[in-house]
Amino acid sequence: MANTTLTHLKAMKQRGEKIAMLTCYDATFAHTASHAGVDILLIGDSLGMTIQGLENTIPVRLDDMIYHTACVNRGNSGRFIIGDLSFMTYASLEQALESSARLMQAGAHMVKMEGGEWLCEAIMHLTRNGIPVCAHIGLTPQSVNVFGGFKIQGRGEKQAAELIETARKLEIAGAAILVVECVPASLGKAITEAVSVPVIGIGAGADTDGQVLVLHDMLGLSITGRTPKFVKNFMEGASSIQDGIVRYVSAVKDGSFPSSKYSYE
Ligand code: KIV
């Protein structure tokens, strides 16, 4: 199997081939997921909850992200790696460049940052310096205190139109992938049609170019026992963890995940 590159991912969007992305935090799971057919391994700052047992992602440090990115890189077998920039590590252009450089040197092929239009300058600055950027919009967990909780975004015509406009601006600034979290399925579809870069959804319906889930969620593992509506436990009926991940990948690829049961309207 050829290595997955950004060119490959863009071609997948053009061909209408779904992209399977999964969070990953260590070498063993990187090995398993990359051999199970996952296209993109995301070292998400969700590791704050899944690995560190925190309430949210705000206390996660850049050093944690770098450590886990290096672990994933060692176990990876040719899949595209995206590393999250953690809270307050891209608040200025200089800081964004310095933090991103460290993630890339740990093995990321792209960095991900959460926010809206205000990311445009940083995206331009990073891409000018040879660092590809994924912009994460919709429900952006690092802003949980601004949103007043983990709430569905883009409900209502005005909010939906604003989010579509934000996606367009981020693409123009140079974002090469968009992650869209927790929006109505119709808005996930509209954003995907509005931009030419791959759009990966989580709780954004079936019509995005790809899907991402948190590894522990899709394995049915949770400390809190609270599971968001968009999470499916792929271990149900699976014979092994590898098989559970294979089932996730094939459900994303054949479009059967997410069904309306796992989407918002
Ligand atoms: O941190 C993370 O795992 C993420 C995904 C939920 C998209 O950003």
Side-chain angles (χ1 to χ4, degrees):
M1 205 175 176
N3 286 358
T4 310
T5 63
L6 194 48
T7 313
H8 183 238
L9 296 167
K10 285 180 180 162
M12 286 174 82
K13 170 161 182 144
Q14 273 155 16
R15 288 198 300 269
E17 194 184 321
K18 297 279 185 184
I19 299 167
M21 170 159 147
L22 190 59
T23 71
C24 190
Y25 317 103
D26 68 27
T28 307
F29 271 104
H31 176 85
T32 306
S34 50
H35 284 280
V38 171
D39 300 299
I40 306 176
L41 303 176
L42 168 68
I43 300 91
D45 61 357
S46 52
L47 67 80
M49 284 89 94
T50 57
I51 306 291
Q52 300 174 327
L54 298 167
E55 286 261 307
N56 57 46
T57 56
I58 289 171
V60 175
R61 299 166 314 151
L62 184 63
D63 283 345
D64 302 329
M65 299 310 304
I66 288 165
Y67 171 78
H68 287 281
T69 300
C71 294
V72 167
N73 185 39
R74 285 192 284 270
N76 179 32
S77 181
R79 300 308 112 217
F80 195 71
I81 295 180
I82 304 182
D84 256 353
L85 287 166
S86 47
F87 182 68
M88 279 299 139
T89 62
Y90 47 102
S92 69
L93 296 186
E94 298 68 32
Q95 195 194 23
L97 188 59
E98 200 179 306
S99 307
S100 304
R102 291 186 64 204
L103 269 187
M104 298 294 282
Q105 285 172 337
H109 301 126
M110 170 179 261
V111 299
K112 174 161 85 60
M113 43 173 70
E114 297 182 5
E117 264 179 67
W118 61 272
L119 293 178
C120 286
E121 263 193 83
I123 293 172
M124 283 190 262
H125 191 54
L126 293 182
T127 49
R128 265 199 305 266
N129 281 281
I131 299 177
V133 180
C134 169
H136 181 158
I137 60 172
L139 173 58
T140 47
Q142 290 173 16
S143 306
V144 60
N145 292 312
V146 176
F147 295 140
F150 295 98
K151 296 181 181 159
I152 302 162
Q153 301 297 304
R155 279 215 199 274
E157 254 174 62
K158 184 167 173 281
Q159 288 84 350
E162 278 170 7
L163 215 47
I164 295 170
E165 199 43 34
T166 297
R168 287 205 182 102
K169 288 187 174 153
L170 293 169
E171 177 182 26
I172 291 167
I177 295 184
L178 298 182
V179 163
V180 181
E181 179 164 352
C182 273
V183 299
S186 53
L187 178 55
K189 181 172 192 279
I191 292 173
T192 305
E193 288 170 354
V195 297
S196 61
V197 296
V199 174
I200 313 291
I202 174 162
D207 294 310
T208 53
D209 300 307
Q211 299 292 327
V212 56
L213 280 181
V214 168
L215 173 69
H216 293 56
D217 287 347
M218 57 79 70
L219 294 178
L221 302 171
S222 159
I223 300 179
T224 61
R226 288 191 301 270
T227 309
K229 177 180 164 71
F230 57 79
V231 170
K232 178 171 177 182
N233 178 358
F234 282 89
M235 284 308 286
E236 278 168 12
S239 57
S240 63
I241 287 176
Q242 168 100 16
D243 184 38
I245 299 177
V246 167
R247 284 166 183 250
Y248 165 67
V249 172
S250 51
V252 170
K253 300 271 175 195
D254 69 18
S256 57
F257 178 77
S259 63
S260 55
K261 181 178 170 195
Y262 301 102
S263 306
Y264 300 105
E265 233 356 303

